[in-house]
Amino acid sequence: MSSVREWSDDAGALRRFGLALVRDDRFVFDDVAASALIEKLFRQASLTLVDCPGADRRAARVRAFAQFVRLYRRHARRLAVDEDGGWLETPPSARGCGSAAVGVRALPLELREALLLVVLAGFTHREAAEALDLPLAVVIDRLARARARLAAHMAASREAAVAWPQSAHLRIVK
Amino acid sequence: MTGRADPAETLAYVDDCLGPEARSAFEVRLKVDPELRREVAQWESQNRAIRAAFGAPPRNALDLGGASNENIVRRSGEAMRSGDGAARPLAQARKRRAAARPIAKPRPSGPGPSARRLVGAVALAAAIVWVGLPSLGLRPPAALFAAGAAAAHALADQPVEFAAGDPAALALRLGPRLALAPPPAPGLQLLGARLAPGSQATATLYVYENLQGARVALMVEPLDEVAAAPVRRDEIDGLSVAAWTGAGYGFVAAAAGDADIAALVAAAGADDERLAEAGLQRR
């Protein structure tokens, strides 16, 4: 019973992570495909860990997220869709949302994936390093850069929001 | 240890990656270093913004009064899910559930399985411990402390937005959810109220003045389903701060001196025992 619930929590976390990470709608084009992909990743992760003594749910989780990251990296590289500012379309989940979401999506993939793994998926720095297949120091450096960029973006958004009423000019339309 | 914290350590603290000993050591440094506190608060607020932006439940449920948030996320998730994957408004989902209820299979009326009874007994015991030992288990959310102190720091000395003379007008301006009648406190004169950013939502900041002309602030923030927690006292940026929760609200009293805080907390309904627990004394 509890494992079903844990699995469902993990699947929900991966779905949120995917929505935040992916800029290109062609990667996973609808909800059914997303569910199928998430289920497949967790099943694969669980199966590969069956023979590993001491491997737990946490390890399966790291592996499933790592596989997702690898798949999206490959997709982004192949189609060159995740260059800075080069995404095709605003994903539905980013439309009409606040400056944090827009700021996260504006980050380059390498910073975005580290930040989202830690903040959104709740990974420790070590687990994030494992999932991203990077040294711990690199992950920490990317986290610091991502946070600084996002803070600058959010501050700029706040300033723009404050400045807007003064700069906006209304026009009478007859 | 008095040196500046390593940025990696600060990030590790914010992301909950430090071991218990390193965490305690960091918290000691946090208490004496306002710059570090500001940095940690900034990253924590960024974490909350990211999690909220993508619909994730708050990481530390107690800190954010988060049980309710998690429920809201779960409920809205239920409402948004549908067979064709299209989003539906919450009200529509509720109507559909209500319509489905009469044809749903009735639950068996006999006694449940023993496992269910065992879970019930454990839950009851946990509730008794929770209610009986509030000083061990319950604290007002840390974010509430921080929001109250920040609001008092920035706004208590500013002119009030709403005059205190007319509570009815105050209620009308603030709306029924924000307007709680401000308690009359001995030795303190109520000047009025301001709107202030709370830990989760807009809060009311009642501003009082003591006999020496110093301002005292009481922040009242509506918090959904937050557990009642007794008064706790802390000191933030030179302000004496006391916070507690109950009746769906979070309360934070902030002033330069403990005596004014004690008067305000007592006026809000805390007895001497509760005041003593929080290290406060009536004037």
Side-chain angles (χ1 to χ4, degrees):
Chain A
M1 176 77 178
S2 69
S3 67
V4 170
R5 188 177 166 181
E6 283 164 0
W7 189 92
S8 145
D9 288 348
D10 288 346
L14 183 53
R15 182 183 290 268
R16 277 192 295 273
F17 172 77
L19 278 172
L21 182 77
V22 172
R23 280 174 173 179
D24 181 13
D25 283 354
R26 289 176 299 177
F27 180 60
V28 173
F29 52 87
D30 68 6
D31 201 49
V32 177
S35 301
L37 175 64
I38 289 168
E39 190 182 340
K40 182 184 166 205
L41 290 179
F42 275 106
R43 189 170 296 153
Q44 266 181 351
S46 308
L47 284 175
T48 48
L49 289 169
V50 163
D51 296 330
C52 302
D56 55 1
R57 170 198 162 215
R58 196 83 187 158
R61 189 169 190 253
V62 170
R63 198 167 275 234
F65 275 75
Q67 189 58 22
F68 186 94
V69 166
R70 268 196 289 276
L71 283 175
Y72 184 64
R73 277 179 183 171
R74 195 185 306 157
H75 172 86
R77 204 168 39 239
R78 193 158 50 89
L79 297 179
V81 290
D82 206 292
E83 302 303 326
D84 276 352
W87 40 318
L88 299 171
E89 194 193 345
T90 307
S93 51
R95 284 174 202 142
C97 52
S99 67
V102 176
V104 167
R105 286 179 178 281
L107 293 171
L109 178 60
E110 57 171 30
L111 303 187
R112 205 161 73 237
E113 58 190 18
L115 184 70
L116 291 173
L117 272 180
V118 171
V119 178
L120 205 56
F123 278 34
T124 64
H125 294 177
R126 255 176 224 293
E127 286 168 342
E130 196 184 326
L132 296 173
D133 199 17
L134 290 169
L136 180 60
V138 174
V139 170
I140 291 173
D141 174 64
R142 286 185 180 183
L143 275 175
R145 281 193 287 142
R147 283 184 184 285
R149 275 209 201 188
L150 184 58
H153 173 92
M154 288 168 78
S157 304
R158 271 196 298 273
E159 276 171 25
V162 170
W164 181 77
Q166 283 92 41
S167 62
H169 296 288
L170 297 178
R171 195 162 55 90
I172 297 172
V173 180
K174 289 183 182 173
Chain B
M1 199 187 273
T2 54
R4 284 307 318 269
D6 176 15
E9 198 183 4
T10 310
L11 286 185
Y13 175 78
V14 171
D15 296 330
D16 207 10
C17 299
L18 290 179
E21 283 178 15
R23 193 170 181 81
S24 309
F26 188 89
E27 278 168 354
V28 169
R29 250 179 301 165
L30 204 57
K31 280 199 169 170
V32 296
D33 188 345
E35 184 60 32
L36 186 58
R37 268 206 303 277
R38 254 192 297 279
E39 197 181 340
V40 167
Q42 183 191 4
W43 298 143
E44 280 179 342
S45 123
Q46 195 183 65
N47 278 3
R48 280 197 295 274
I50 295 171
R51 293 179 72 79
F54 294 105
R59 176 178 271 183
N60 186 341
L62 182 63
D63 266 10
L64 297 171
S68 57
N69 288 359
E70 213 157 341
N71 288 341
I72 288 166
V73 169
R74 198 176 307 134
R75 279 200 297 267
S76 56
E78 273 173 21
M80 299 286 279
R81 268 197 300 276
S82 62
D84 55 7
R88 290 206 178 99
L90 192 60
Q92 194 181 344
R94 277 192 188 138
K95 273 184 202 162
R96 278 167 190 248
R97 277 206 297 275
R101 225 167 271 142
I103 57 168
K105 198 176 170 185
R107 286 182 160 197
S109 56
S114 57
R116 197 179 297 165
R117 263 178 266 156
L118 183 64
V119 169
V122 170
L124 185 62
I128 290 168
V129 170
W130 193 248
V131 172
L133 300 173
S135 58
L136 292 180
L138 285 167
R139 286 184 65 82
L144 185 66
F145 265 106
H153 218 278
L155 300 172
D157 287 332
Q158 303 293 322
V160 293
E161 290 172 323
F162 309 108
D166 186 356
L170 195 67
L172 199 64
R173 297 290 297 279
L174 293 172
R177 186 140 166 75
L178 277 176
L180 273 190
L188 297 176
Q189 188 201 348
L190 180 67
L191 297 180
R194 293 185 62 88
L195 292 182
S199 59
Q200 297 177 22
T202 307
T204 313
L205 189 76
Y206 294 109
V207 182
Y208 296 79
E209 201 170 67
N210 68 12
L211 298 175
Q212 289 77 40
R215 295 279 178 100
V216 180
L218 173 68
M219 190 181 88
V220 181
E221 181 185 356
L223 297 171
D224 285 333
E225 298 174 34
V226 68
V231 185
R232 296 282 170 180
R233 191 194 154 279
D234 203 346
E235 203 155 313
I236 301 176
D237 288 338
L239 279 179
S240 178
V241 181
W244 68 102
T245 53
Y249 287 88
F251 302 87
V252 186
D258 277 352
D260 293 328
I261 297 281
L264 212 47
V265 176
D271 54 20
D272 285 343
E273 196 184 336
R274 294 288 184 208
L275 287 176
E277 263 180 28
L280 293 167
Q281 244 183 350
R282 231 185 260 267
R283 202 195 302 258

